[in-house]
Amino acid sequence: MPAYPRTARPALIIGSVAIDRVATPHAQSENLLGGAASYAAIAASYFAPARLVGVVGGDFPNRFFKLYRKHGIDLAGLKVEASGKTFFWSGRYRENFAGRDTLEIQLNVFQNFSPELPPAYRDTPFVMLGAIQPALQLHVLDQLARGRKKPFVLADTFDLWINTTRPELERLLKRIDLLVINEDESLLLTGQRNLILAGRALRKMGPRAVVLKKGEHGSLLFHPDGFFAIPAYPVTRFVDPTGAGDSYAGALIGCLASVNRTDFTALKRAVACATAVSSLTVESFSVHRLSSAGRKLIDARLRELETLTRF
Amino acid sequence: MPAYPRTARPALIIGSVAIDRVATPHAQSENLLGGAASYAAIAASYFAPARLVGVVGGDFPNRFFKLYRKHGIDLAGLKVEASGKTFFWSGRYRENFAGRDTLEIQLNVFQNFSPELPPAYRDTPFVMLGAIQPALQLHVLDQLARGRKKPFVLADTFDLWINTTRPELERLLKRIDLLVINEDESLLLTGQRNLILAGRALRKMGPRAVVLKKGEHGSLLFHPDGFFAIPAYPVTRFVDPTGAGDSYAGALIGCLASVNRTDFTALKRAVACATAVSSLTVESFSVHRLSSAGRKLIDARLRELETLTRF
């Protein structure tokens, strides 16, 4: 279990846990640990104690529990429905990774997932809401509101919710601190192609800060105190992008939790951490590289990012 | 005429001079000063004395000569064919600036353009070869080889030459110091979609350094001493992208000429200058904003770029 700085506070991650089968243009792999919460909690665990809220079935392999524990992840919020099966996802990336197609989904125990926070979690100061239905994200916020102190909330979303549950999503946006979104989702939500104007439009929808992710082109941070841009880490061994966005968000919330700060300076550093960590995720299937990389490699990439943008 | 630092050396710009008619999804304008050499020479002139080699017809408006002179551009290499007409180009950008179509081209005096350097130009230490035919770019290099000292040569190219005169282009690449190229051209030339691997592949084709331009996503510099990435300047008043790449290359060569250095540190700063200057070009039709901006605004954007990438 990692050692955290004295400033570190816990980071709560809510989202899907899945077993994946993934095919890329170059290779394929199955029986993989997947789901947004898996990637995000492992990523966060490099910086701060992570708490995972999700659901799995009786078939969830012991080796995956072990992997979570290796990262010191608190599993009090991971519900095991012994009689059910774990959420299964199978997808295939198109040539040149230009989009992906879902080949099979078995929601299983995830079908009726309703995230219930253990009472001890209601005061978690840093929260990441993975891209589950906005109604469920709101349900988590309602439970957090019963805690003593207002937490810092990061939310992720995706195109399905923008298309199908927009009113709930708009209500959510008014209640979060940081929205993390990619270019396509941003265009869908704002209709604005200019990324700078899109960032501003997203902030007008509620969140104090917005991070716009552009994949290999890096990311942009829009904040009341300023604008920050960072290129991607230069990856040359690109294997599988699954979970890159989830690791990004997990590292971001973990990095904030580790310093217990949410100001512009802390956010810029957290965006850099997220950039470094997600660059590891894409270098293997599943969480293999993310989990085995270690903090030293992450710090080395962080320093490289600092250097390669200086002039 | 601008005042240059004592280190400044002249920068020689070879390329097209044109009269443009441009339509964007939002507006249109005509009788515009255009051509790669116009944009590049004005951009370079902010940093170092610029020399322009090109050709115009007897119809070339006096106000354009005046504009060049306002920027102190040496016109000894600008040939005037009084009996001919200036190169005319008319283009229309598609919705959302997703590509552009050429509506009309009249090559006129540019048809038989063969760049001949005045003897006094053969020792110019900094040279930008605009995207004319590679055979003509090579012809310029042959004339420069007769000078006393090897110059630093930046070359631009475009898809037409990659598709139609590849052998000459490959010969050119072996004789230049810096290739400036955009994402689409890089893919066409290398077949490599991973931008980091593409940059390396381009360097293997000859140039010691490569700048890969990604429009609103900034640019990447590949150099033997390291890798550098810079985001685009955050532009919100996007009017017309014509000439952005030419201004970029012109500012880059001008910035190197101003410090009379070509090492990695100087190149990084020059890429930042290029980023700042080209952000002005896209804020108006033609060279209007580029020409009227002034050095103070360029320096302010340069400082902003420095700040917005720091964490």
Side-chain angles (χ1 to χ4, degrees):
Chain A
M1 192 169 151
Y4 300 116
R6 284 205 307 188
T7 47
R9 297 289 172 274
L12 178 59
I13 315 285
I14 294 102
S16 60
V17 173
I19 295 174
D20 286 353
R21 181 192 295 146
V22 178
T24 73
H26 312 294
Q28 56 183 67
S29 197
E30 57 185 344
N31 296 317
L32 301 168
L33 177 57
S38 301
Y39 286 101
I42 295 172
S45 79
Y46 279 111
F47 305 96
R51 299 171 166 175
L52 194 163
V53 169
V55 62
V56 296
D59 61 338
F60 196 66
N62 201 34
R63 68 179 195 280
F64 293 164
F65 284 114
K66 269 192 187 157
L67 188 72
Y68 287 147
R69 283 196 202 99
K70 187 191 98 178
H71 288 277
I73 298 168
D74 183 337
L75 300 176
L78 181 61
K79 194 170 164 192
V80 182
E81 291 192 8
S83 61
K85 286 183 72 184
T86 304
F87 175 27
F88 172 81
W89 178 79
S90 167
R92 182 193 289 145
Y93 288 87
R94 292 179 211 149
E95 200 56 35
N96 303 316
F97 293 97
R100 77 176 181 199
D101 302 299
T102 291
L103 302 181
E104 193 182 344
I105 279 197
Q106 299 170 17
L107 286 174
N108 300 328
V109 297
F110 194 58
Q111 174 84 60
N112 299 308
F113 176 55
S114 178
E116 304 303 331
L117 306 192
Y121 280 16
R122 289 190 190 145
D123 282 314
T124 314
F126 293 88
V127 177
M128 168 184 157
L129 301 173
I132 52 178
Q133 294 97 306
L136 295 181
Q137 293 175 311
L138 286 163
H139 178 58
V140 172
L141 291 186
D142 290 340
Q143 297 171 65
L144 289 164
R146 280 180 246 143
R148 281 162 302 180
K149 221 191 125 201
K150 209 183 157 321
F152 180 90
V153 179
L154 174 165
D156 190 4
T157 191
F158 81 120
D159 51 8
L160 180 63
W161 311 133
I162 300 170
N163 284 324
T164 62
T165 62
R166 190 166 174 129
E168 289 89 341
L169 179 60
E170 287 178 354
R171 279 203 290 137
L172 177 81
L173 291 177
K174 292 190 181 15
R175 292 179 61 186
I176 62 171
D177 301 283
L178 172 63
L179 174 68
V180 176
I181 192 166
N182 73 28
E183 265 185 291
D184 290 345
E185 294 154 1
S186 161
L187 178 59
L188 196 59
L189 196 49
T190 65
Q192 177 56 257
R193 273 172 202 278
N194 180 302
L195 297 173
I196 309 303
L197 297 178
R200 291 185 192 165
L202 290 166
R203 282 195 57 229
K204 283 207 181 112
M205 299 175 89
R208 183 168 160 80
V210 169
V211 170
L212 216 161
K213 295 176 297 173
K214 311 185 295 170
E216 66 176 334
H217 298 303
S219 36
L220 309 175
L221 166 64
F222 301 87
H223 187 274
D225 292 348
F227 169 71
F228 172 65
I230 188 168
Y233 180 87
V235 167
T236 53
R237 290 177 300 170
F238 193 88
V239 175
D240 173 15
T242 309
D246 308 313
S247 321
Y248 186 103
L252 211 169
I253 200 75
C255 194
L256 293 174
S258 76
V259 292
N260 193 22
R261 277 170 46 196
T262 62
D263 54 284
F264 185 43
T265 303
L267 271 164
K268 288 195 276 188
R269 183 135 201 109
V271 163
C273 286
T275 300
V277 170
S278 58
S279 76
L280 292 162
T281 300
V282 304
E283 292 181 347
S284 77
F285 281 105
S286 184
V287 300
H288 300 152
R289 182 102 168 110
L290 172 67
S291 170
S292 64
R295 180 65 193 261
K296 265 191 189 164
L297 186 54
I298 292 169
D299 287 344
R301 291 198 172 188
L302 202 49
R303 281 192 303 273
E304 265 190 87
L305 281 166
E306 227 168 334
T307 308
L308 70 82
T309 53
R310 284 279 169 97
F311 63 89
Chain B
M1 191 168 151
Y4 299 116
R6 287 204 304 187
T7 47
R9 298 289 173 274
L12 177 59
I13 316 284
I14 295 102
S16 60
V17 173
I19 295 175
D20 286 353
R21 182 192 295 147
V22 179
T24 74
H26 311 295
Q28 56 182 68
S29 196
E30 57 185 342
N31 296 318
L32 301 168
L33 177 57
S38 301
Y39 285 101
I42 295 172
S45 78
Y46 279 111
F47 306 96
R51 299 170 166 176
L52 193 163
V53 169
V55 63
V56 297
D59 61 337
F60 196 66
N62 200 35
R63 68 178 194 281
F64 293 163
F65 285 114
K66 268 192 188 158
L67 187 72
Y68 287 146
R69 285 197 199 99
K70 187 190 96 179
H71 288 277
I73 298 168
D74 182 336
L75 300 176
L78 180 61
K79 194 170 163 193
V80 181
E81 290 191 11
S83 62
K85 284 184 74 184
T86 304
F87 176 27
F88 172 80
W89 178 80
S90 166
R92 181 193 289 145
Y93 288 87
R94 292 179 211 149
E95 199 57 35
N96 302 315
F97 292 97
R100 77 176 179 198
D101 302 299
T102 291
L103 303 180
E104 194 181 343
I105 279 197
Q106 299 170 19
L107 286 173
N108 299 328
V109 297
F110 194 58
Q111 174 85 59
N112 299 309
F113 176 55
S114 177
E116 305 302 332
L117 307 191
Y121 279 16
R122 288 189 191 147
D123 282 314
T124 315
F126 294 88
V127 178
M128 169 186 155
L129 301 174
I132 52 178
Q133 293 97 307
L136 295 180
Q137 293 175 311
L138 286 163
H139 177 58
V140 172
L141 291 186
D142 289 339
Q143 296 171 68
L144 289 164
R146 280 179 247 145
R148 283 162 300 180
K149 222 192 125 198
K150 210 184 157 323
F152 179 90
V153 178
L154 174 165
D156 191 4
T157 190
F158 82 120
D159 51 7
L160 179 64
W161 311 133
I162 299 171
N163 285 322
T164 62
T165 62
R166 189 165 174 131
E168 289 88 340
L169 179 60
E170 286 177 354
R171 278 202 292 136
L172 176 81
L173 291 177
K174 291 189 183 11
R175 292 179 61 185
I176 62 170
D177 302 283
L178 172 64
L179 174 68
V180 176
I181 191 165
N182 72 29
E183 264 185 291
D184 291 345
E185 294 154 1
S186 161
L187 179 59
L188 197 59
L189 196 49
T190 65
Q192 177 56 258
R193 274 172 200 279
N194 180 301
L195 297 173
I196 309 301
L197 297 177
R200 292 185 193 166
L202 290 166
R203 282 197 55 230
K204 282 207 182 114
M205 298 176 88
R208 184 169 160 77
V210 169
V211 170
L212 216 161
K213 295 177 298 172
K214 311 185 295 170
E216 65 175 335
H217 299 302
S219 36
L220 309 175
L221 166 64
F222 301 87
H223 187 275
D225 292 347
F227 169 72
F228 172 65
I230 188 168
Y233 180 88
V235 167
T236 52
R237 288 178 301 170
F238 193 87
V239 175
D240 174 14
T242 310
D246 308 313
S247 322
Y248 185 104
L252 210 170
I253 200 74
C255 193
L256 293 174
S258 76
V259 292
N260 192 22
R261 278 171 45 196
T262 63
D263 55 282
F264 186 42
T265 304
L267 271 164
K268 288 194 278 189
R269 184 137 201 108
V271 163
C273 286
T275 301
V277 170
S278 57
S279 76
L280 292 163
T281 300
V282 303
E283 291 181 346
S284 77
F285 281 104
S286 185
V287 300
H288 300 152
R289 181 102 168 109
L290 172 67
S291 169
S292 63
R295 179 66 192 259
K296 265 192 190 162
L297 185 54
I298 293 169
D299 286 344
R301 290 198 174 189
L302 201 48
R303 281 192 302 275
E304 264 189 88
L305 281 167
E306 228 168 334
T307 307
L308 68 83
T309 53
R310 285 279 169 97
F311 62 89

